[in-house]
Amino acid sequence: MKTVLKTFAAALLLGVAAMGVAKADPVKIGVAAEPYPPFTSPDASGKWVGWEIDFIDAVCAEEKLDCVITPVAWDGIIPALTTKKIDLIVSSMSITAEREKTIDFSDKYYNTPTAIIGPKDQKFGATPDDLKGKMVGVQVSTVHAVYAKKHFTGAQEIKEYQTQDEANNDLAAGRLDAVQADSIALGEFLKSDQGKACCDLKGMVAPDDEVLGPGVGAGVRKEDTELKGKINAGIKAIRSNGKYDEISKKYFDFDIYGSATQSN
């Protein structure tokens, strides 16, 4: 009987030990399922690459989190978070009061200006007066759509697109007069053969912190305070140990962390 009890106790201890080292569930990192260079894009093999991918990989490594990139349609990315299809949004999402009614955010991890681009052969700026009577393209469910509807009331039309690529393509095809989006993303388009041929930078829009927010953060469910704490700790750590700057220098020749106004 003693032998049986010893065997049972040993088995129980082994089971408890195994539970202690069991692998934690992966953290599903939601990114918009569309190319958004230089932040997130699938390469030729389908692997997601870009600055934000490198950034979140570094944060997850710092906090020993098993993170898995999970593409989701942009206009459904917040519902995907709240219904637990994903655990974190890392997709150039601006921190805004409206979004904070539904989800929470990590600390800011980058912040870049908002720009207007248009045809090379047209000379205008980025003010409401400049955009009067013009067709302006924006991506749906972004701060840019909200900003344009608030400030460019004299525009002929604010046309919304499912993806930024669709807006850029319509601009290049002459079906739009201007596009508003994050300056870095538009800069990548202007470097492309299509962008070089058609368009140039018209200027940066005037600040509106209520709409554009203080920067980009990782979206997290309100109840997931432990995950939010780990992401914030990871951001702080890679900012302190130089990893953030090391990653950023591969993509940018300026400080992406502290610029004026920003992204999606």
Side-chain angles (χ1 to χ4, degrees):
M1 185 65 178
K2 288 182 180 179
T3 302
V4 172
L5 288 173
K6 285 179 181 178
T7 303
F8 175 76
L12 184 63
L13 286 171
L14 283 171
V16 170
M19 287 172 64
V21 298
K23 194 173 182 181
D25 290 338
V27 178
K28 296 185 288 294
I29 306 296
V31 300
E34 62 179 81
Y36 195 67
F39 296 103
T40 54
S41 295
D43 66 12
S45 70
K47 180 184 177 183
W48 285 82
V49 297
W51 182 87
E52 266 179 308
I53 304 300
D54 291 351
F55 157 78
I56 195 60
D57 281 350
V59 169
C60 291
E62 188 70 36
E63 293 301 305
K64 297 178 174 55
L65 297 171
D66 177 19
C67 294
V68 179
I69 301 301
T70 309
V72 181
W74 169 257
D75 60 356
I77 204 165
I78 288 179
L81 178 66
T82 57
T83 58
K84 300 188 177 182
K85 293 177 183 175
I86 57 174
D87 302 304
L88 201 69
I89 297 172
V90 180
S91 197
S92 294
M93 180 171 279
S94 299
I95 303 164
T96 68
E98 185 63 29
R99 287 169 175 159
E100 286 179 321
K101 292 176 183 177
T102 307
I103 64 172
D104 206 349
F105 284 92
S106 73
D107 294 338
K108 177 191 83 171
Y109 63 83
Y110 88 83
N111 193 18
T112 56
T114 295
I116 296 287
I117 63 171
K120 281 184 174 180
D121 60 0
Q122 295 182 31
K123 301 299 178 187
F124 58 90
T127 69
D129 283 344
D130 289 318
L131 295 166
K132 275 183 181 176
K134 289 183 167 41
M135 291 273 291
V136 181
V138 291
Q139 187 179 2
V140 70
S141 301
T142 64
V143 293
H144 307 300
V146 177
Y147 185 99
K149 289 173 186 176
K150 178 179 177 180
H151 292 279
F152 303 144
T153 54
Q156 179 185 338
E157 183 184 348
I158 306 298
K159 190 169 182 182
E160 295 181 79
Y161 294 83
Q162 287 299 311
T163 71
Q164 190 61 48
D165 275 352
E166 290 172 336
N168 295 345
N169 289 338
D170 263 12
L171 178 63
R175 291 187 285 269
L176 289 175
D177 299 305
V179 162
Q180 176 183 321
D182 172 73
S183 58
I184 294 179
L186 290 181
E188 290 297 303
F189 170 69
L190 292 177
K191 291 176 190 175
S192 69
D193 291 341
Q194 184 187 37
K196 286 177 187 175
C198 74
C199 309
D200 61 8
L201 177 67
K202 302 305 181 186
M204 305 297 174
V205 305
D208 182 341
D209 289 348
E210 183 180 352
V211 173
L212 298 174
V216 167
V220 62
R221 286 183 291 273
K222 285 182 176 290
E223 65 269 24
D224 285 352
T225 53
E226 183 179 354
L227 178 59
K228 177 183 172 180
K230 288 181 178 181
I231 298 302
N232 284 342
I235 293 170
K236 184 177 181 180
I238 67 170
R239 289 279 298 159
S240 298
N241 65 22
K243 188 66 178 178
Y244 181 97
D245 289 338
E246 179 187 328
I247 292 167
S248 297
K249 284 174 184 176
K250 295 193 298 179
Y251 296 89
F252 312 113
D253 57 3
F254 57 91
D255 177 17
I256 190 176
Y257 183 80
S259 305
T261 47
Q262 86 302 312
S263 191
N264 282 333

